[in-house]
Amino acid sequence: MDYLSVIEMLNGSHGPAGDERQIAATLKRLAEPYADECWLDTMGNLIVHKKGTGPKVMFAAHMDCIGLIVTHIHKDGYLSFGKLGGVRPESILHTPFRFKNGVCGVVSLRRKVSPKDMTIDDLYLDIGAKNEAHARRLVQIGDTAVFRMPAFASESRLVSPYLDDRIACAVMLDAISHIRAHTSDLYFVFTVQEELGLRGSKTAAFSIDPDYAVALDVTAAEELDDKKQASTILGGGAAIKVMDSSVICHPEMVKLLETFAMESKIPCQKEVMLSGGTDAGAIHVSREGVLTGGISIPCRYIHTPTETVDLSDVSAAVRLLTAFAQKNLETTKDVM
């Protein structure tokens, strides 16, 4: 798969948390040729089903991203905004954004505020409007905006906004196209509103009622002078989740993923993420509980316009997901 092209396509589709219809349509078009059935549920989750006679297995990657939402239009044409998800002021200052209708603008800081003291409330969007009436012809209260930044490759690295979690969506697409012989009943769910509190995965897991689940997401990779804050490195292989702030993965799932990686000679590493949650957090407590694990892609600079992953880790994640999907799994009761 040409991951750069896929990421550019996905990022070209509007999809901030709560407004994922465009990106859902793009993903549906890409996944449908490999599915027995595809549908959108009430929340907007895209569910891709490959039928099988064995246990139900749910794979989840969120298609929503962080973004901005217009809260006020000033008389001079500037826009105040709120944040959708974990938006940090230092990561968006002087960054260009794009609205769903194509209107673009840049985030700026009120002149009397020092960057070291700024909060989200001190920032505003400048869309080039001359006054309030002009601005209202371009955007409305409640309109959402996302990064307008390019994706590019640098050696083995892919740099782009919204690799959280579009790179995991690409991993699921790649795996769906390669899975052949399987007995498990497979559900690939591209979830909504993960960035607002794991909302889409909660309803999808309740509806599907899986025996097993694997959440796919990015995880923090080591950065300069920050090596003790991350348990994974770029180029170290697919990360098998042990825990994050929303879940402690079932030991049996950690063991299964490690075994499949070893059997297929897939590079892997362990992930312990002390802050930040994933869809696994909502899935594992659904109904009576679900055997839940996680496959993560190490990523630097999460929630910035320049998130960075290594393509060898992406490839390893595809191989591990495919191996899990194609294994003849026992029922949940047998494994417990």
Side-chain angles (χ1 to χ4, degrees):
M1 175 178 281
D2 182 349
Y3 289 103
L4 176 58
S5 295
V6 172
I7 290 299
E8 288 176 331
M9 187 186 310
L10 296 180
N11 284 351
S13 302
H14 199 68
D19 192 6
E20 301 93 347
R21 290 179 294 278
Q22 272 193 12
I23 190 168
T26 299
L27 286 164
K28 187 173 187 289
R29 176 169 52 83
L30 294 172
E32 212 160 20
Y34 308 103
D36 293 312
E37 52 183 346
C38 254
W39 70 92
L40 291 175
D41 67 11
T42 304
M43 283 287 291
N45 298 301
L46 171 63
I47 302 174
V48 179
H49 187 199
K50 291 175 78 76
K51 295 179 180 178
T53 57
K56 288 183 182 179
V57 182
M58 174 180 169
F59 299 98
H62 69 92
M63 57 181 164
D64 65 305
C65 63
I66 59 172
L68 310 180
I69 185 166
V70 177
T71 58
H72 185 75
I73 300 175
H74 296 269
K75 63 181 181 180
D76 45 16
Y78 298 120
L79 310 178
S80 290
F81 59 83
K83 59 181 183 176
L84 296 171
V87 178
R88 301 189 299 271
E90 70 275 11
S91 297
I92 63 170
L93 179 60
H94 303 144
T95 299
F97 275 77
R98 180 191 75 244
F99 285 88
K100 191 175 188 177
N101 63 2
V103 170
C104 296
V106 65
V107 173
S108 295
L109 177 64
R110 295 176 185 273
R111 186 175 296 274
K112 294 182 180 180
V113 179
S114 167
K116 66 181 178 64
D117 298 322
M118 67 180 174
T119 68
I120 286 290
D121 293 336
D122 298 315
L123 301 176
Y124 63 90
L125 266 168
D126 183 350
I127 57 172
K130 297 175 182 179
N131 50 46
E132 181 180 356
H134 186 196
R136 287 186 181 276
R137 290 197 296 271
L138 299 173
V139 299
Q140 302 296 318
I141 301 295
D143 284 355
T144 56
V146 296
F147 289 130
R148 186 182 185 272
M149 297 288 283
F152 63 91
S154 178
E155 298 297 326
S156 66
R157 305 285 162 81
L158 181 60
V159 182
S160 173
Y162 302 134
L163 292 178
D164 176 14
D165 195 26
R166 307 284 164 74
I167 194 61
C169 292
V171 165
M172 285 218 305
L173 286 173
D174 201 358
I176 291 169
S177 70
H178 285 96
I179 292 168
R180 297 293 183 263
H182 65 94
T183 57
S184 295
D185 198 23
L186 304 176
Y187 294 81
F188 299 87
V189 186
F190 298 89
T191 65
V192 298
Q193 298 190 44
E194 188 269 358
E195 297 289 1
L196 299 181
L198 320 182
R199 297 175 183 176
S201 58
K202 181 178 182 179
T203 59
F206 187 91
S207 172
I208 293 168
D209 193 16
D211 297 297
Y212 300 86
V214 177
L216 291 99
D217 212 322
V218 295
T219 186
E222 287 184 352
E223 299 176 19
L224 183 66
D225 299 329
D226 193 29
K227 296 184 181 300
K228 292 183 179 179
Q229 300 303 312
S231 58
T232 67
I233 59 171
L234 293 189
I240 297 173
K241 184 182 293 292
V242 176
M243 70 165 287
D244 60 38
S245 66
S246 69
V247 65
I248 296 177
C249 291
H250 196 287
E252 188 62 35
M253 288 297 289
V254 176
K255 181 181 175 182
L256 280 174
L257 288 166
E258 285 185 301
T259 300
F260 296 161
M262 181 179 64
E263 290 175 349
S264 300
K265 298 182 179 178
I266 301 168
C268 67
Q269 51 190 320
K270 289 281 193 68
E271 174 207 356
V272 175
M273 190 166 68
L274 298 180
S275 62
T278 60
D279 278 334
I283 297 168
H284 82 289
V285 292
S286 181
R287 291 183 181 261
E288 297 174 351
V290 180
L291 281 168
T292 304
I295 299 174
S296 301
I297 299 115
C299 182
R300 290 179 183 161
Y301 322 127
I302 294 175
H303 285 194
T304 76
T306 54
E307 295 176 335
T308 303
V309 299
D310 192 289
L311 291 173
S312 67
D313 299 332
V314 177
S315 176
V318 173
R319 292 173 60 198
L320 186 52
L321 189 159
T322 304
F324 194 97
Q326 294 185 152
K327 285 294 180 181
N328 186 7
L329 298 170
E330 302 295 332
T331 65
T332 306
K333 289 182 180 178
D334 291 337
V335 212
M336 287 292 286

